[in-house]
Structures are given as C-alpha cells and as structure tokens.
Amino acid sequence: MAGSRPLGGVLDVTSKPRLAVFKFASCDGCQLQLLEAGDRLLELAGRVEIDHFLEASSRSVPGPYDVGLVEGSITTAEDAARIRGIRAQCRMLVTIGACATAGGIQALRNWGRLDDFLAAVYATPETIAALATSTAIADHVPVDFELRGCPVDRSQLLDLLTAVLLGRKPHVPGHCVCVECKARGAVCVAVAKGIACLGPVTQAGCHAICPAHDRECFGCFGPSESPNLVSLTGFYERRGTPRVDLVRLTRSFNAAAPAFRAESDRLEAGP
Amino acid sequence: MSQVRRFEVKSLARVEGEGSLRVRVADGRVEIAEFSIYEPPRFFEKLLRGRAIGEVPDMVARICGICPVAYQLTACAALEHALGVMVTPEITRLRRLLYHGEWVQSHGLHVHLLHAPDFFGVESGIALAASRPDLVSRGLRLKELGRRIMEVVGGRAVHPINVAVGGFHKAPQAAAIRGLVPDLEWALTAALDLIGEVRGFGFPGQPRDYDGVCLRSEEGYPLDEGRIVSTSGLDIDIAEYELHFAERQVPWSTALHAVMLPGETPYLVGPLARMNRCHDRLPSQTRQAVEACRIEFPFRLSAQSIVARAIEIAVACEGALAIARDAAADVTPCRVAWEPRAGIGSHATEAPRGLLWHRYEIGDDGLVRHAAIVPPTSQNQAMIEADLKAMLPAVLDRDDAAATFACERLIRDYDPCISCATHFLRLRIDRGA
C-alpha cells in the first residue's frame, strides 16, 4: 500500500479543499467513525468543504473533488462502473476500511458459487444483480492511500485527513499488533494462554484490544508488512490447533487480502 | 390518456445505507410507491454457514456499524438457547449496560445529526451546529457517552470485541463502569431536557393508526426479553415468530419485506411501536418527565419518532445509571462455559430501530448449519410504503422538489438502516408521460 510518501498537495491557500465521501457494499461503520468524530468533525467541517457525504448531509455538490473517501467493496457491475466515475472526479482517492481495502467479510463469497449465495437468501434470485466476487476498490481503479481496519480507527482517520490537508505523511504504522500488545503491557495470549492469535501477522492500529481482552486477534486491520503466515500457522498447528480452525481464522474480515488469502488457500489445499 | 406525474429521489441522504423511492401518480391517485433498497446484498445468512459458534458475534456485528451490539446480543441469546446455556443475572446486567450504550449512541446520532435538521430546515447536523450549537453539542456529548459505555463494556464502540456466546471474553472493569456514573447523571438530566425540547417541534403528516410490534416483558421497558406483542392484540412467544410473520421478496428491492400473517399486512417496529405499547413501563424519572411535558400516547405521526427516541435515550441513561451505580466488583465468571453441540435456537431483542430476530441451527459438527436474520428495516419497509401512499396525495400539488423532500423526510422518520436491511433511497415519482 502507498504509505511511505507525503499525501496532498491539495491544500490550496486560495480555497478550502473539497471532500466527498462515497459508500459501496459495507456496514457504514467506517463512515460512522467520521460522522461520530464529534467536535473534531465540526472542526474539520470548518476547514474543508464537505461537498458530498450522503450519510451526514442532504447537500450534495457535483465534483470534481479534491479528496474522495471511499467505504465499501465492489460487488455489482453498476458499482464497478460507479467507482470509475468517482475516480475521475477525485484528485486524491482514499479507501477506508476492510471492505474497501480487501473486499470485507462479504468477500467470503469469492470462495463459493454466487448462485448458492443467491438461492440461500432470495426466493427469486434472478431479480438480484450481483457479481460473483466482492473486491477491493484498488482492484478496479488506482488508489492513493488505503486505511485499514474493520472498522478504521477514528484517530487514524482524523490523522489521515490532517495529513491530506497539510501535505504530510499520515502516521499509520505497518508493524504488527504484537508491538501494540507490548506497548500497553498486555500479556501475550498466544504464549501464555495457548490461543491461536493473528497478532504477529496483523497490522497494528486497534491498540491490541483483543489480546487485552484475553482473546485472539482476528485480523481486523489485515496483514502487516511482510507477514510470515506459514511459520505462524505451522506453529499453531504443531501445538494442536486444528487446520480447519486456522483456515477460518485467516478467512474472515480481510479474507481476500492477498497474504491472508494465500495462506487460507494453502492451508485448505495442502498437507 | 391519464395524467401521470413522476418523482424520483435517486439517493436519500441522512440515512444509513443506500436506497431510492419510485412513485407513480395517475389522475391524482398514487398507484405505486416502491421504496427500494439498492444496497448491494452481502448474503450474511449464507456467510455464516460453516462458521464456528464462537465466531458468530464478531461476524454479525458487521451487518451494521450503527447497531452492532443489537446483532451481537441477539445472536448470543439465540445461540445460547440452541446450546442450552443459561447466563447469570450479572452477565445479563452487563449486556444491558452495553445495549443501553448502543441505544444512546444510535438514537443520539439519529436525533441530532440525521433527524433534527429536518425540523429546522437545514441540510445537516453540521449546518444545525451553526444555528443551534447548544442542541448539537449536547447531542454530540450524549452520543460520545454512548460510545464510551460500549468501549468500557464491549472493548470498542464500532464492532465491539468483548461480546461472546456465554457472556464476555474478559470481565469489564467494575471501577471503569462506576466511573461512568457522573457522566450518566449529567446524561439523564440532558436527555430529560431533550424530551421537553423535541416535544415542542412541529410534526407534519396525517395521523395514522399504526399496528406496532415489539417485545413486552413482565417488567421494564422492552429490551432483550419478553413476548412479542402487537397493537392489534398479538401476544406470542419469541419462538413462534415465524408462524406469525413472513419475509417476501419484492422485485424492486434487495431487502426482503416482512409482513404479518395471515393478512400479509404491514406493521411497525421501533421507537414508536415500543412507546405506544409500553409507555406504562417507563422508568420513574423518565416517566415523571414525560408526564410533566404532558406527552400524550399513542403517537400517531411518524415524525413524532424523534420524541420517542428522546424518551428512549432517557430510558437507556436511567437504566445504565442504575447498573453502573451497582457495579461493585468485576463479574466472575464473566462467561458461562459451553461445548459445541447440535441444536436449534432463536431469539429477538429490541435494536434501536426495532425488533430484531435471529434463528440458528447448529450441526453435529458444532458449526452453523443455517442462519436466519430479520432486521428492523425489512420489517418497516412495507409500512414505509403504506405511509408514503397515505401521505402523497396531500403533497401532490407541490413542485417536485418539495414533494420529494416530503417523501425523504417521512422515510428519515423511520431511521431506516439500509446496511442492516442486509439486503435505501432513489426516489422516482412518476407523475406522467
């Protein structure tokens, strides 16, 4: 992901940057992190023109926009066309959350047959238009920055927007959750409790809340920088975690993130 | 040739999720009012098949970022029924505290940022903050407290991580819960003041006699247990839900429409339904405030839902305050142990937007074999359409922009959560060739 270079160049001293927020297949939780930023949202609203944010406002001004925030994954042909139109309207496109950056929990259908999914939920599936897969925004259009998380962290989101306004690098670390566990003094659940935890291969950003609650990290923020999944799952398997459990563990909210996808497929296929 | 007029709302604002509305009017008669949810389907009920029981609370949270706790707690109770697990009264109290937090957060958001702008003729809560900073800043503080309750008990506000089948992964800290007391005392007073203010708003529309459906328990305001009751006299066990309600697919929407059997009639769930049927169950301070404001029941206008939500914020604050004051020690055990086993269980709770019903079938392998989830917005969809049909003749003489605004407003009264509908608004009013 593009995390190493400064963002921006959008801060124009002569006018306020124009912000737009778009939604695709998702739970709204990531937009909610922005809508619920309280006083900081009001402060932000004073520094940018929020020109399109349907969940927050009935005011919608046509593009082009300086910054587009995108939540959700691409699951219909109509949405695949819509994101191309949005990309053309946004100088900078930033995706927020596991759905937009990896396809989300709904990407579990990438491992099945669409007809089975349709028939499981709808009596007359032929009237429902859906693609066979749920995919990340970057699979369809160039993306300037991807902010991970299911949901995104409110502080990281506000920092990212500040970075965009100031033209600096966002403070989004690529290291793993283990670092956050150590920083908060949480006991390692993988070592001390024998729990199969994804913390060693998952990007930080959640403040290690799951291990701090005596449970496994289940990968909300997706794979960390250069994760060694084969080594980790091999260790858990030798220690007694059934392989089918490891397939499910690596196949959840970021199931289609390349490193997690490769590992769950390898575990499922191989000896 | 008949005179036909068409309106279209392509994408509705200030709702969670995406939908549209198509209305066709011929010779002054409303022929079609199709409220369409075009939120792409995510197939949650299918995604859950083959997953472990313990994964379900984390997965169903992702149905809705605004009310994840409702999904988590309903799933936990349904799965516990399937497993034959009884949680302790202490765990139930902590779950209620968490659920009260979500009511304050979700209603706080809708009342202040999504719904109130309609009563002041402004585009957003951000715009409202310029003219009524007092109202908005108090609302933001209420909402933030709801989030903090969810963090203290659930570990995170959006998609809590501490909810488990059987209880909690880790006991929420009693000291942190007691630490909520001063803010909850402020919040209860703030919510009681809010009731007095919103009660004075102007409420457009024609009075309707809603058939409301909600839970009703032996004591207390509806939340997480009881029987399913309706204004029209239904009184059933939660397990009998499927015998009395059915979901129907309609060609214009990815959300299924729920109807009441046998007449296939629309019904209402949510704050108005709960308030109309259970206002005798308000906790003491909230009841006194409601009586002091001379609020009359039943509510018969959808726009009065803002009053119902304000009252329910007070209900949740009063409930949460009682629990927080009593939090003496960390709850041990915080989770009742269980072993995976085959079974079937269902449960319903009151999500902020209304009755939420889940049913799970666990296979011999201890994995989910079948899941069925009926969210509040699918249940309200048929009633929203019926309301629109009833309201439209009165606004037909207005220009398209004004008529469209009236439709949007009515839909926002329901606080539809389209992401939840798993399966919101493009308005197309067809007025003519």
Side-chain angles (χ1 to χ4, degrees), chain B residues 103-122:
Chain B
W103 276 36
V104 173
Q105 181 271 135
S106 176
H107 280 354
L109 172 77
H110 191 261
V111 166
H112 298 94
L113 292 183
L114 309 183
H115 205 191
D118 283 336
F119 296 88
F120 290 88
V122 293

Side-chain angles (χ1 to χ4, degrees), chain B residues 50-384:
Chain B
R51 303 301 295 207
I53 295 165
E55 293 181 291
V56 176
D58 297 318
M59 288 184 70
V60 295
R62 271 67 180 182
I63 292 174
C64 177
I66 327 281
C67 56
V69 169
Y71 285 87
Q72 293 187 310
L73 295 183
T74 312
C76 285
L79 289 162
E80 286 155 9
H81 286 176
L83 295 165
V85 169
M86 288 283 288
V87 299
T88 63
E90 291 77 15
I91 289 171
T92 299
R93 284 170 69 77
L94 284 175
R95 283 181 167 174
R96 286 180 181 167
L97 176 60
L98 176 64
Y99 216 159
H100 289 322
E102 179 163 282
W103 276 36
V104 173
Q105 181 271 135
S106 176
H107 280 354
L109 172 77
H110 191 261
V111 166
H112 298 94
L113 292 183
L114 309 183
H115 205 191
D118 283 336
F119 296 88
F120 290 88
V122 293
E123 67 207 27
S124 69
I126 296 165
L128 184 60
S131 58
R132 287 295 308 272
D134 54 324
L135 181 65
V136 174
S137 66
R138 185 180 61 196
L140 293 176
R141 191 174 159 195
L142 276 167
K143 207 166 54 61
E144 196 59 27
L145 175 61
R147 279 180 75 105
R148 198 151 68 81
I149 297 171
M150 292 162 83
E151 286 166 4
V152 166
V153 184
R156 179 160 67 185
V158 178
H159 305 330
I161 49 82
N162 198 23
V163 177
V165 176
F168 294 90
H169 289 284
K170 186 179 188 178
Q173 294 178 348
I177 294 171
R178 282 196 309 276
L180 296 166
V181 167
D183 278 348
L184 278 166
E185 288 171 338
W186 167 84
L188 177 55
T189 307
L192 299 177
D193 291 345
L194 177 67
I195 296 170
E197 280 177 48
V198 296
R199 139 189 235 300
F201 286 1
F203 304 106
Q206 280 100 25
R208 309 246 304 146
D209 291 311
Y210 290 110
D211 192 2
V213 171
C214 66
L215 289 176
R216 186 172 169 91
S217 53
E218 297 198 353
E219 58 183 30
Y221 195 75
L223 185 66
D224 58 357
E225 58 161 10
R227 292 174 65 78
I228 297 173
V229 300
S230 79
T231 318
S232 55
L234 186 78
D235 185 347
I236 58 165
D237 192 272
I238 288 173
E240 299 173 301
Y241 177 86
E242 284 175 300
L243 299 173
H244 298 269
F245 299 90
E247 284 191 301
R248 302 281 183 238
Q249 190 181 350
V250 291
W252 59 88
S253 182
T254 57
L256 301 168
H257 280 44
V259 288
M260 199 188 292
L261 302 173
E264 305 258 331
T265 45
Y267 62 99
L268 176 76
V269 298
L272 282 182
R274 290 190 289 254
M275 199 59 65
N276 285 349
R277 189 68 179 73
C278 298
H279 57 84
D280 59 323
R281 294 293 172 76
L282 295 172
S284 62
Q285 283 185 265
T286 306
R287 181 204 306 267
Q288 284 164 25
V290 164
E291 285 169 359
C293 295
R294 300 179 194 281
I295 289 171
E296 287 172 18
F297 299 105
F299 290 135
R300 297 178 66 214
L301 295 164
S302 61
Q304 287 175 304
S305 65
I306 197 169
V307 186
R309 281 186 199 92
I311 301 172
E312 289 192 341
I313 293 173
V315 169
C317 290
E318 198 169 342
L321 184 57
I323 295 169
R325 281 181 175 145
D326 280 357
D330 293 2
V331 169
T332 322
C334 63
R335 180 156 44 147
V336 176
W338 50 268
E339 287 296 328
R341 66 168 210 201
I344 295 173
S346 63
H347 195 66
T349 71
E350 288 289 345
R353 286 157 195 78
L355 191 76
L356 168 62
W357 183 83
H358 287 217
R359 179 184 177 277
Y360 296 93
E361 188 179 333
I362 313 295
D364 294 325
D365 54 4
L367 303 177
V368 175
R369 186 193 284 164
H370 187 266
I373 296 171
V374 185
T377 296
S378 351
Q379 299 181 79
N380 275 341
Q381 204 175 345
M383 186 56 90
I384 295 174

Side-chain angles (χ1 to χ4, degrees), chain A residues 35-115:
Chain A
L35 188 57
E36 295 226 319
D39 296 343
R40 294 190 62 183
L41 174 66
L42 300 180
E43 200 179 302
L44 179 75
R47 297 182 51 185
V48 300
E49 292 292 346
I50 301 179
D51 275 353
H52 179 85
F53 185 2
L54 272 181
E55 189 169 324
S57 176
S58 21
R59 173 179 177 267
S60 176
V61 183
Y65 311 104
D66 293 307
V67 183
L69 288 180
V70 180
E71 174 194 274
S73 68
I74 303 299
T75 61
T76 66
E78 197 180 14
D79 277 356
R82 184 161 65 101
I83 191 63
R84 287 193 292 272
I86 288 170
R87 172 70 266 192
Q89 292 286 304
C90 296
R91 285 173 62 188
M92 181 182 295
L93 195 72
V94 175
T95 54
I96 57 170
C99 297
T101 61
I105 186 74
Q106 58 272 21
L108 290 177
R109 78 181 194 225
N110 302 2
W111 280 268
R113 284 177 61 243
L114 178 65
D115 289 351

